[in-house]
Each structure stands twice: as structure tokens, then as C-alpha cells.
Amino acid sequence: MAVGQNQKTRKNDSLVTKTGKPRLGPLNLTQLNTMLAKSTKPKEQAKIKREISKRPPAPVKLEPATATE
């Protein structure tokens, strides 16, 4: 349970665990990168970096080539 809350009155937040730690799974790469920049704890940073490395890189959108003859 998160600190200072009662189990009866606590609302479940899907992005936070029972102990109040953030869930990294549903976050996208930009959210993870901003979280990494704000984080000061080495253990937290390692978890975020590991999650970023698991994700495939964002696909690069290529513009269609125009034929100039």
C-alpha cells in the first residue's frame, strides 16, 4: 500500500504498484526517457534503462522517393 493511505479509501492506479512504485510496462519510450532524466537513484535508473533496452526502436518513416528525370 502506498504510504499514508487506508486500504478502504485507496483508489487503484494501474500505473503504480501496491507499494507505490511505478510500473514501467505501459509507458512509451518518451515517457521512459523523461522518467530517466528526472530519476536520481541508480537502482531506479538501471530499471528504466533495462526497460528502454527491451523496447524496439521507433520505426523511421521514409518519404516516398519522387522520380526526377
Side-chain angles (χ1 to χ4, degrees), residues 5-66:
Q5 291 184 345
N6 181 332
Q7 189 175 6
K8 269 187 175 178
T9 60
R10 179 176 50 91
K11 301 289 184 189
N12 289 338
D13 185 3
S14 60
L15 296 177
V16 179
T17 64
K18 182 178 173 183
T19 58
K21 296 179 182 177
R23 292 187 196 270
L24 302 178
L27 301 177
N28 61 28
L29 285 175
T30 55
Q31 291 170 324
L32 287 171
N33 286 327
T34 56
M35 186 182 274
L36 180 63
K38 291 179 182 178
S39 176
T40 58
K41 298 179 183 177
K43 188 175 182 180
E44 222 174 70
Q45 289 175 344
K47 287 180 183 181
I48 296 169
K49 286 178 185 176
R50 193 175 331 120
E51 189 65 32
I52 290 173
S53 68
K54 286 181 186 179
R55 307 282 173 95
V60 178
K61 293 182 181 179
L62 298 175
E63 294 181 19
T66 57

